[in-house]
Amino acid sequence: GVSGSLVAGTVASLAAGPGGIAITSGGFVSGSTVDIGTTNNGVTQTADSTLSVSGVLRSSSIVIGTVVLVGTANSVASIGSLSVANGGFTLTGTGGLSVAGPLSGSNVLLSAGTIGVSGSIGAATLVSLASGAGGIVFNTGATVTAQTIAANGSSGGVAMKGAASVKTVAGWPRRRRGPARPARWSAT
């Protein structure tokens, strides 16, 4: 785990085996690029630790297990290619967040001052985006797909620009028994 400071001028790599990655109380991880990878148990963060990414948060390998990045002082400029197997992805941040993706997990929950999506976000169940006054913008090239998609742009609203696609897919992933659940989309 990271309980002290890990500061990299360019790439900070966090990789772990079966124990996963933990950014614990007082931990500080900073870099232009932060690259995460685990073979089990994902990534966890306490609210009183900090993740500061001036460039891209990504995974150049694999992330197995849920990723929960909930530091109250987190600042992540962009999320690049990051796929979570066997779990969801949660990021709470301040300031502006851009999603180039592809970003995927069982659920994808993002919260930041402003959210701009220009790439793909996919989830088996839920994609939830919540912003502060800066709002949420789905830019040309954005593709968001899940059974349920919720976008709360606060006082900044929610906007779609150009050829953006927000698709709810009923019954995906396919269930073995019973009817497919209806797809849901909401924007506030």
Side-chain angles (χ1 to χ4, degrees):
V2 179
S3 58
S5 292
L6 172 61
V7 179
T10 53
V11 179
S13 293
L14 300 173
I21 298 168
I23 305 171
T24 59
S25 183
F28 181 81
V29 176
S30 176
S32 174
T33 298
V34 174
D35 193 311
I36 59 175
T38 66
T39 60
N40 203 6
N41 291 322
V43 182
T44 59
Q45 179 189 29
T46 60
D48 61 347
S49 63
T50 302
L51 175 63
S52 177
V53 184
S54 61
V56 179
L57 174 65
R58 70 175 189 207
S59 178
S60 59
S61 59
I62 189 167
V63 178
I64 298 177
T66 299
V67 175
V68 180
L69 301 171
V70 293
T72 57
N74 285 349
S75 175
V76 176
S78 179
I79 300 174
S81 180
L82 205 155
S83 177
V84 179
N86 300 328
F89 179 87
T90 300
L91 172 67
T92 300
T94 61
L97 172 65
S98 171
V99 182
L103 172 61
S104 64
S106 57
N107 293 299
V108 174
L109 313 171
L110 303 176
S111 175
T114 301
I115 299 174
V117 181
S118 59
S120 68
I121 302 174
T125 306
L126 171 67
V127 171
S128 176
L129 308 176
S131 75
I136 299 168
V137 177
F138 297 98
N139 294 299
T140 294
T143 302
V144 181
T145 307
Q147 278 186 347
T148 301
I149 300 169
N152 182 347
S154 187
S155 61
V158 177
M160 292 186 74
K161 294 185 176 180
S165 172
V166 177
K167 300 183 282 188
T168 55
V169 183
W172 181 75
R174 295 198 179 272
R175 299 186 317 169
R176 295 180 188 259
R177 295 186 192 146
R181 293 191 320 216
R184 294 176 296 280
W185 154 251
S186 67
T188 55

